[in-house]
Amino acid sequence: GQRRSLRHETEAKSRMLLSLAPAAVVSAADTAAAVTPTDPRQLQWEDNCVYNCPNEWIDDGACDLECNIEACHWDGRDCFHDASECFEQPNGADYRGKVDHTKSGRTCQAWAEQMPWHHTMTVFDYPDAGLGGHNYCRNPTGRETGPWCYTTDYPEVEWEECDVGQPEKCDASEPSLLSSAQTRADPPPPSPSPPPPSPDGIASVPPSMQGVKVMGAPLVAVAAPGVAVAAPGLAVAAPALAVAAPA
């Protein structure tokens, strides 16, 4: 009788374990799915051309050194690869061409790099000078006689001017004038004009300020004895408001 009872108990436990097996499998699958990164934000980097160049950086109006490679299509139009060599200003401040070596043949250092020469000619300091993650000759300050660049010839020559040709009248459709990474953005909207005063002389309240309680304080004038202070429509005798220092 004890053996039969023990066998029945063992069979019951086996049936219970078999009934729980599918649930255990589902639970394991759910656990694996929970730890698997399926969030698009976590896998977004896998869709980039390279891991350190987000897709949002391409054609965003700034030449990024990380994206200025063939795998990222040279950062779209941001790095002046489609710009012409035409420029109009005598000092070449508007030059947006692709000459990347100096007059003596030295290779230019990229403006976004601080090696081998440390400098302050960055896109943050000169946002409209056509700088960024490229090594094309530019004249950021306009103080030099022509476009120039920092060289990679360290420590011999820090910077040198480039031969970019002569200025000439450019066609208005030339990419050199239209593809500047810092000037393609739409201009900011004009500031709204202040509302006109109401006929009774009290400034009108704009709609955004309606319902806001505005409290004003009276203007107090302190005058020396014998000097009258008057406001429009209000005559104030000076002796009445005079505050004099003790004699």
Side-chain angles (χ1 to χ4, degrees), residues 178-233:
L178 299 179
S179 65
S180 172
Q182 285 75 40
T183 57
R184 289 208 311 268
D186 295 332
S191 301
S193 56
S198 59
D200 56 1
I202 302 176
S204 59
V205 179
S208 60
M209 293 292 293
Q210 291 183 1
V212 179
K213 181 181 293 185
V214 180
M215 300 182 65
L219 179 63
V220 178
V222 179
V227 178
V229 179

